[in-house]
Amino acid sequence: GKKAFFSRPELSRLRVLRLDGGIDVGALAASPHPTRLEDLYISDATIDDTEARALADSPALAGLKKLTIYGVNTYAPPLAPA
């Protein structure tokens, strides 16, 4: 499944990752593997405040240089202001 994808050690090889639709952002944020990721693109997803904070605080994603979030929460409540 989608959660299993983020548990794969091979994610440590990626520098760019594009995720479209139905992403489990919490599983991505909790994964210890995407440590070399520099460019992350997330689209067509629903992200709640807890998941957004987990993404921002993820030690494995500390090396991100570019984060693009597009078309999220289209039919869900907006995120709370920081």
Side-chain angles (χ1 to χ4, degrees), residues 12-55:
S12 66
R13 298 182 198 160
L14 298 179
R15 294 191 187 266
V16 177
L17 181 60
R18 180 182 176 113
L19 300 168
D20 298 307
I23 293 97
D24 185 340
V25 175
L28 170 61
S31 175
H33 302 297
T35 54
R36 293 187 182 167
L37 206 57
E38 295 178 358
D39 186 348
L40 176 60
Y41 178 94
I42 299 173
S43 72
D44 300 321
T46 300
I47 301 174
D48 64 24
D49 292 332
T50 302
E51 292 168 328
R53 177 57 52 201
L55 196 63

Side-chain angles (χ1 to χ4, degrees), residues 41-77:
Y41 178 94
I42 299 173
S43 72
D44 300 321
T46 300
I47 301 174
D48 64 24
D49 292 332
T50 302
E51 292 168 328
R53 177 57 52 201
L55 196 63
D57 293 341
S58 172
L61 298 174
L64 274 181
K65 294 178 181 175
K66 181 178 179 185
L67 172 62
T68 304
I69 299 176
Y70 178 80
V72 298
N73 297 354
T74 306
Y75 301 103

